[in-house]
Amino acid sequence: MTVKKMALAFFSLLCFSASAFADFYNEPSIRSGKWEATFMLTHNDEVFVEGLQGASLDVKETTGWGASLGYNYSDHLQFNLEFLSSVPNYTATFISDEDTPQVEIIQHELNVVHTQFNAVYNFRAERLTPYVQAGLGWSYVDSNIADGPAQGVCWWDPWWGYVCEGYQPTYHESNFTYNVGVGLRYELDNEMIFKVSYGRAYSNLSHSDDLAIDIFKFEIGALF
């Protein structure tokens, strides 16, 4: 079962349970003034980006993971730091800069990392509540395509003596990112947390349309 299907199934179960056991789920939350941490599984939808002179990037759907650390200023307001990582496959189409342009197609993997500072508003002060989220941060996108010859660095190590290591530079960039999302949150008696959400993250790329990724998240965590 994909992360998207898990999130939708959990959302449907909570909605059904809330109507069947309204008194139980109307118990007040105890999150105000507490920290919380979550681990998440993510599903990123496919996205197509157009570049200059007919170039394009087709990023395939994929699953990923993430983590968050937040502070509940009140039952309604939370601030958190969120980290997301995924490695989707992609197909890149390039147009060579020649007298007779040639189309070149490359298939590879992207490394995509989002780090976001978010504000979250919970609509209810109870354990079961819908919420909205908005945040700002940055993203790191690595094409894993070589950008020049391999390079190396050497140094004197106090234990191993003279040590050299090599690395391969790749085409990559870091960009400003912002996100918006909606979700549903539920807290158990033992202070465990379950959250499902849908959101969109926007990254400002340098030489193409902005990268907009739809992200479904299933989170489990705890208050402390």
Side-chain angles (χ1 to χ4, degrees), residues 18-32:
S19 62
F21 305 102
D23 291 340
F24 178 76
Y25 288 114
N26 281 333
E27 292 184 4
S29 170
I30 58 172
R31 59 181 170 267
S32 180

Side-chain angles (χ1 to χ4, degrees), residues 182-194:
V182 296
L184 187 66
R185 168 196 180 99
Y186 178 59
E187 302 162 14
L188 298 179
D189 289 335
N190 61 2
E191 299 188 345
M192 289 188 64
I193 308 164
F194 293 94

Side-chain angles (χ1 to χ4, degrees), residues 96-207:
S96 62
D97 185 15
E98 300 175 354
D99 294 336
T100 303
Q102 301 291 323
V103 177
E104 301 180 13
I105 297 178
I106 295 177
Q107 294 182 326
H108 215 314
E109 288 184 339
L110 282 178
N111 287 97
V112 182
V113 175
H114 296 291
T115 302
Q116 301 285 283
F117 295 95
N118 301 315
V120 179
Y121 181 78
N122 298 301
F123 287 96
R124 305 175 72 235
E126 284 74 32
R127 296 186 183 185
L128 176 65
T129 178
Y131 65 88
V132 292
Q133 171 180 301
L136 304 172
W138 61 90
S139 66
Y140 173 81
V141 180
D142 191 333
S143 68
N144 291 307
I145 297 175
D147 179 16
Q151 300 180 16
V153 59
C154 300
W155 68 94
W156 284 101
D157 186 275
W159 300 102
W160 306 106
Y162 194 62
V163 178
C164 293
E165 287 189 357
Y167 66 95
Q168 176 63 63
T170 57
Y171 289 99
H172 63 275
E173 59 179 67
S174 297
N175 302 285
F176 171 75
T177 305
Y178 59 98
N179 78 90
V180 292
V182 296
L184 187 66
R185 168 196 180 99
Y186 178 59
E187 302 162 14
L188 298 179
D189 289 335
N190 61 2
E191 299 188 345
M192 289 188 64
I193 308 164
F194 293 94
K195 298 181 358 182
V196 292
S197 63
Y198 160 76
R200 174 168 284 195
Y202 299 87
S203 296
N204 298 120
L205 301 182
S206 301
H207 305 291

Side-chain angles (χ1 to χ4, degrees), residues 29-36 69-81 118-122 124-125 185 187 223-224:
S29 170
I30 58 172
R31 59 181 170 267
S32 180
K34 290 189 176 183
W35 290 85
E36 67 178 59
L69 176 65
Y71 178 74
N72 293 286
Y73 182 79
S74 68
D75 287 332
H76 292 284
L77 186 60
Q78 180 198 107
F79 300 98
N80 68 45
L81 172 64
N118 301 315
V120 179
Y121 181 78
N122 298 301
R124 305 175 72 235
R185 168 196 180 99
E187 302 162 14
L223 294 164
F224 57 94

Side-chain angles (χ1 to χ4, degrees), residues 3 36-42 64-69 82-85 193-195 217-222:
V3 174
E36 67 178 59
T38 69
F39 174 81
M40 65 188 76
L41 296 176
T42 66
W65 66 277
S68 72
L69 176 65
E82 184 177 75
F83 171 86
L84 303 175
S85 177
I193 308 164
F194 293 94
K195 298 181 358 182
K217 295 184 289 188
F218 177 81
E219 299 180 61
I220 182 171

